[in-house]
Amino acid sequence: MRILLVEDEPALARQLSNVIADAGFVVETVGDGEEASSLGAIEPYDAVVLDLGLPRLDGVSVLERWRSAGIDVPVLVLTARGRWPEKLAAFSAGADDYVTKPFETQEVILRLRALIRRAAGAATAALECGALRFDTTTGSVTVDGTAVRLTTQESRILEFLLHRRGRIVSRLEIIDHVYERDFDRDSNVIDVLIGRIRRKIGVEVIETVRGRGYRLNDMVGSTSS
């Protein structure tokens, strides 16, 4: 899952970027509101961590631009402004959650995961599809209770498909959400990784929709990779 981190304090930005990446996300970091506003309008992020006190354009104005443009990406506001008027302004502009500095970095991760789950309509940390179970908190995957070991990229792809269960997702859409912007879009790596995931989980839940992409269902018939 792909996260935009908007923080102008370099030390904190590095710390948060490392923590978010260690949690299994793809993270892109920017340090001013204008760049954040532009990226959020053109890039398909799964969630945003947004500071309010930004140079060039403040966080509330960034939020207002996104929401006015119909961009509904989940946004976790991160700021030193703990007074109620600042919180009210952020929520009124379209924030989904709020953390006041100083904070525990793991709290940011937990809140991000919760925002992404809610956006996908999932009520719990465990994403399930038939016998397949993916725990978004621990990253563990099981089939009928038996643990399955996936690589980081395989895990990211499976989680993305689970969050969009029942929907057809194209290869380009998968690339947009599990890789950084400079990834080679002509690569066949997605097809290769989907094939590996199928072999590892051993259950037929990932359907190939020819010419369109993939769809994750409770149970499908024969699939082709």
Side-chain angles (χ1 to χ4, degrees), residues 74-90:
V75 175
L76 173 63
V77 165
L78 188 71
T79 181
R81 304 174 184 178
R83 295 187 301 124
W84 172 243
E86 282 79 11
K87 293 181 180 180
L88 178 60

Side-chain angles (χ1 to χ4, degrees), residues 199-214:
R199 289 192 292 272
K200 288 184 177 183
I201 63 178
V203 289
E204 295 183 347
V205 294
I206 303 176
E207 174 189 5
T208 296
V209 182
R210 293 193 181 279
R212 299 180 65 186
Y214 299 99

Side-chain angles (χ1 to χ4, degrees), residues 91-203:
F91 282 120
S92 296
D96 297 280
D97 202 355
Y98 197 109
V99 177
T100 303
K101 303 174 185 178
F103 53 83
E104 293 290 336
T105 54
Q106 288 305 311
E107 180 181 1
V108 173
I109 299 302
L110 291 173
R111 289 179 181 271
L112 272 177
R113 293 196 188 282
L115 287 178
I116 293 171
R117 287 199 309 270
R118 288 201 294 269
T124 67
L127 304 175
E128 298 183 350
C129 185
L132 174 67
R133 186 176 190 274
F134 187 110
D135 189 320
T136 60
T137 301
T138 64
S140 62
V141 178
T142 58
V143 176
D144 280 330
T146 301
V148 177
R149 294 180 64 87
L150 299 179
T151 67
T152 298
Q153 295 302 330
E154 291 166 355
S155 181
R156 286 175 177 169
I157 291 172
L158 181 58
E159 182 179 5
F160 180 73
L161 291 175
L162 280 162
H163 276 298
R164 286 152 180 80
R165 176 177 164 184
R167 287 174 44 192
I168 298 173
V169 293
S170 68
R171 291 169 178 81
L172 289 180
E173 190 176 356
I174 295 172
I175 289 171
D176 280 340
H177 287 268
V178 302
Y179 289 99
E180 296 179 356
R181 277 181 288 161
D182 59 355
F183 183 81
D184 180 6
R185 289 170 173 262
D186 294 325
S187 170
N188 70 340
V189 68
I190 298 299
D191 305 288
V192 172
L193 290 172
I194 291 286
R196 290 180 183 173
I197 295 168
R198 283 174 170 155
R199 289 192 292 272
K200 288 184 177 183
I201 63 178
V203 289

Side-chain angles (χ1 to χ4, degrees), residues 15-102:
Q15 179 189 14
L16 274 175
S17 178
N18 290 336
V19 169
I20 294 170
D22 288 344
F25 296 103
V26 175
V27 56
E28 296 180 21
T29 304
V30 296
D32 72 77
E34 284 289 356
E35 185 177 4
S37 177
S38 298
L39 281 176
I42 62 175
E43 294 293 332
Y45 297 104
D46 294 288
V48 177
V49 180
L50 177 67
D51 189 17
L52 292 187
L54 297 168
R56 299 183 65 196
L57 187 69
D58 66 90
V60 169
S61 297
V62 172
L63 261 174
E64 289 174 340
R65 284 188 182 182
W66 287 342
R67 298 317 191 210
S68 294
I71 299 166
D72 59 358
V73 61
V75 175
L76 173 63
V77 165
L78 188 71
T79 181
R81 304 174 184 178
R83 295 187 301 124
W84 172 243
E86 282 79 11
K87 293 181 180 180
L88 178 60
F91 282 120
S92 296
D96 297 280
D97 202 355
Y98 197 109
V99 177
T100 303
K101 303 174 185 178

